[in-house]
Amino acid sequence: MSKETKDRLLRVHSSGLYNNLSPEQALSLYHENKNFLNIATSNLLLAQDSQKDIYDLTELQFYLALITKNDTEAKMMLGRLTDKFGGYKKSQRIAVLRSVYIEATGSQPKNYQEASKFLESVPQFGKKINVIRRRTYLASKLNNIDANEYIKDLTSYLEVKPSDNESWYELSEVYLKLGNYTKSIYCLEQILLCVPFAYNIYYKLGAVYQSYAYKILYDFSDSNNANKRENFNYNQATIDKFFNFFNLSLKHFLKSVELCESYYKGWSGIFILTKPLKFKNKNLVSKFSEKNEQYSKLNILASQKLKEIIKKNWTSEENKKLIEKVLTSE
């Protein structure tokens, strides 16, 4: 195993990228990291002054084992780290990891309650930033914290740990639920500064821009009736703003499949976005018609790619059903 492999795995660990992988990618990374750890520990591949890397990759394996439902191995990785750093009453790192294990191996919503109760049993770490972050996350899952307080806690945490991509993603989701698309987009862009090839984040940006585009039309029409919206007389400024975000959405969907050709979510986004607009407003239809040929070609290509993904078994059976729903949607 090369130094390049080790450095890449360490970047995955430090960035939290493992949280945003597809099941297939997570499983592949799980096996790769497991093999690296086996070789490194058996052949003393890493020098004594690089033992920290071994423990960081052991922690990565802990998370990957949980993600891939290998709970027994996750428990073994936690045991190795506990042997090194001491029990949860001595190490905040172990306390946090143990709460993660409790959450991941329990049944909802009891798992969140048990994980939260566990952290309360180690008050000596109550003011440590990683424990505060973990408690904030669990409180959000239990609906014991309002959105504004959650945002405040996350932003305070990110001031200390700006490279925590998982927290940026969570913050983006909170802003999205509140309808603050600009800040949601900003949070996702912060992730790309750390992991510029994260195709799933490009897809997510495309989805947020798509929602933002249609929100502009809905807000301007100020109506709950979809038919009225379709026929509403939008002004030119609103139409221009809509298509600006519409095209940004398409741009990010395209970037996601450029980075990963078999990424079905990216192709699904392209397929849905490039279908003919349902709106009957003449100005909207006219603006769409300017690029109708391009959109039509992309729609056909996306359809072909989605069918290819199904045919070549590039994704799970569950995802294949989702693709079929996309292809048959009106």
Side-chain angles (χ1 to χ4, degrees):
M1 288 285 183
S2 66
K3 181 179 182 299
E4 289 75 15
T5 299
K6 182 194 76 171
D7 291 343
R8 177 169 53 79
L9 291 170
L10 288 170
R11 284 196 298 272
V12 171
H13 171 261
S14 63
S15 67
L17 182 61
Y18 52 85
N19 285 300
N20 296 315
L21 298 176
S22 68
E24 295 85 357
Q25 291 171 320
L27 185 60
S28 175
L29 188 64
Y30 161 82
H31 287 299
E32 181 181 16
N33 191 56
K34 183 175 183 177
N35 290 337
F36 183 89
L37 280 171
N38 288 338
I39 293 172
T41 53
S42 62
N43 295 340
L44 300 177
L45 180 66
L46 296 180
Q48 189 64 33
D49 60 359
S50 296
Q51 286 301 301
K52 178 183 179 298
D53 294 343
I54 282 285
Y55 293 115
D56 284 345
L57 294 180
T58 300
E59 183 174 300
L60 173 61
Q61 193 64 10
F62 165 79
Y63 284 112
L64 290 171
L66 288 177
I67 291 170
T68 56
K69 307 299 182 184
N70 289 288
D71 297 348
T72 301
E73 184 174 357
K75 188 175 183 179
M76 183 170 62
M77 295 299 107
L78 180 57
R80 289 181 184 177
L81 292 168
T82 301
D83 290 342
K84 170 62 180 177
F85 298 105
Y88 66 87
K89 292 184 179 181
K90 293 182 179 180
S91 168
Q92 68 158 318
R93 181 178 189 176
I94 299 303
V96 169
L97 291 176
R98 184 163 176 176
S99 74
V100 171
Y101 181 82
I102 292 170
E103 177 199 344
T105 56
S107 55
Q108 297 181 0
K110 190 177 180 180
N111 57 334
Y112 299 126
Q113 297 169 344
E114 291 177 345
S116 182
K117 185 177 180 180
F118 166 74
L119 287 179
E120 291 173 2
S121 72
V122 284
Q124 62 270 38
F125 301 129
K127 294 184 178 180
K128 298 293 185 179
I129 189 68
N130 289 338
V131 174
I132 292 173
R133 168 71 185 88
R134 182 74 184 142
R135 289 176 68 179
T136 300
Y137 163 79
L138 291 170
S140 71
K141 291 296 184 181
L142 293 167
N143 295 319
N144 290 338
I145 187 171
D146 65 33
N148 290 328
E149 187 179 350
Y150 192 27
I151 288 171
K152 181 180 177 181
D153 288 346
L154 277 175
T155 51
S156 296
Y157 172 79
L158 284 166
E159 286 177 3
V160 179
K161 291 200 171 184
S163 62
D164 189 331
N165 294 326
E166 184 180 358
S167 294
W168 279 117
Y169 192 88
E170 282 185 35
L171 187 56
S172 173
E173 288 290 278
V174 177
Y175 280 130
L176 185 59
K177 289 178 182 177
L178 294 175
N180 195 329
Y181 294 92
T182 303
K183 288 188 176 180
S184 178
I185 289 166
Y186 172 80
C187 293
L188 293 171
E189 288 174 340
Q190 295 307 300
I191 298 175
L192 290 177
L193 291 177
C194 294
V195 279
F197 302 111
Y199 57 85
N200 57 319
I201 301 301
Y202 279 104
Y203 163 78
K204 184 64 178 181
L205 273 167
V208 175
Y209 273 119
Q210 183 181 16
S211 297
Y212 199 1
Y214 282 99
K215 183 177 183 294
I216 290 168
L217 297 185
Y218 293 168
D219 284 353
F220 187 84
S221 65
D222 193 26
S223 168
N224 292 319
N225 188 305
N227 290 325
K228 288 184 178 179
R229 285 174 180 157
E230 291 174 7
N231 294 280
F232 200 86
N233 187 26
Y234 300 101
N235 62 31
Q236 192 60 46
T238 300
I239 292 172
D240 289 342
K241 193 173 182 181
F242 166 78
F243 273 101
N244 177 47
F245 291 125
F246 180 93
N247 287 319
L248 281 170
S249 173
L250 182 58
K251 174 184 175 182
H252 286 86
F253 284 148
L254 287 169
K255 185 66 176 179
S256 74
V257 297
E258 176 188 334
L259 293 170
C260 182
E261 187 179 355
S262 62
Y263 189 48
Y264 85 91
K265 286 187 177 181
W267 288 116
S268 296
I270 295 167
F271 179 80
I272 293 171
L273 198 66
T274 55
K275 293 170 69 175
L277 288 176
K278 291 183 178 180
F279 292 87
K280 300 174 183 177
N281 176 275
K282 291 182 180 179
N283 292 332
L284 275 173
V285 173
S286 175
K287 188 76 173 178
F288 189 88
S289 298
E290 292 177 8
K291 293 189 176 182
N292 188 58
E293 184 177 353
Q294 176 189 347
Y295 295 151
S296 179
K297 288 180 179 179
L298 285 173
N299 187 264
I300 293 171
L301 177 62
S303 176
Q304 292 171 342
K305 288 293 183 180
L306 288 170
K307 291 174 182 176
E308 182 181 5
I309 290 170
I310 292 175
K311 184 178 180 180
K312 294 186 176 180
N313 293 314
W314 285 348
T315 191
S316 66
E317 292 301 319
E318 182 180 357
N319 289 339
K320 287 179 184 178
K321 292 178 182 178
L322 294 175
I323 293 172
E324 289 171 352
K325 286 184 179 180
V326 168
L327 291 172
T328 56
S329 63
E330 295 182 358

